[in-house]
Amino acid sequence: MLGDVLLVLWRRVDEIPAEAPAAWSYGVARGCLANNVRGNARHERLVERLAQEPGGGPQLDAEHYALDEAMAQLPDNDRDLLRLWAWEQLAPREIATVLGITPNAASIRLHRAIGKLKELMAPRKNGSGGGHLGDRQERGDGG
């Protein structure tokens, strides 16, 4: 946790206001703490849900393996972006903060990464279409 705060402070050192560096730093720490709390809550919900699954947890089907294969074919930057969006459920503006880019750039890169992933997954689909990626994008849901 402390490492996350220090990393953000280091990356944004040029943005630290000269008149209130301590207050600004506390704000960064508060944001990192909030992200950590949200992540822990998501983790606990997942553990509870998996514990309630019959048979000791979900059974992975061919589509899950196909997703792993498709993700492995993407560049590292696209994989990181998609993981922040889909797994961490961050909005493009939050992804922008994490990656140190503008919210507009994050939205554009996310749109392109989703498109690449869909292309890689298309040959594996059996014509049903949709799925998690399609539903979120059509709703305009950024996270």
Side-chain angles (χ1 to χ4, degrees), residues 70-115:
M71 287 287 286
Q73 294 177 42
L74 292 173
D76 289 342
N77 291 341
D78 288 344
R79 280 197 305 263
D80 292 342
L81 191 68
L82 288 169
R83 287 178 181 138
L84 289 170
W85 174 70
W87 294 352
E88 299 298 329
Q89 299 180 354
L90 297 181
R93 71 185 183 313
E94 295 169 313
I95 293 171
T97 301
V98 171
L99 299 179
I101 59 177
T102 67
N104 188 46
S107 293
I108 291 169
R109 290 180 189 180
L110 178 61
H111 178 75
R112 289 178 181 161
I114 290 170

Side-chain angles (χ1 to χ4, degrees), residues 1-2 4-6 8 25-42:
M1 179 66 210
L2 176 61
D4 295 337
V5 174
L6 294 174
V8 172
S25 299
Y26 280 121
V28 169
R30 185 174 178 265
C32 289
L33 179 61
N35 286 341
N36 189 282
V37 168
R38 281 192 303 272
N40 288 339
R42 280 192 303 270

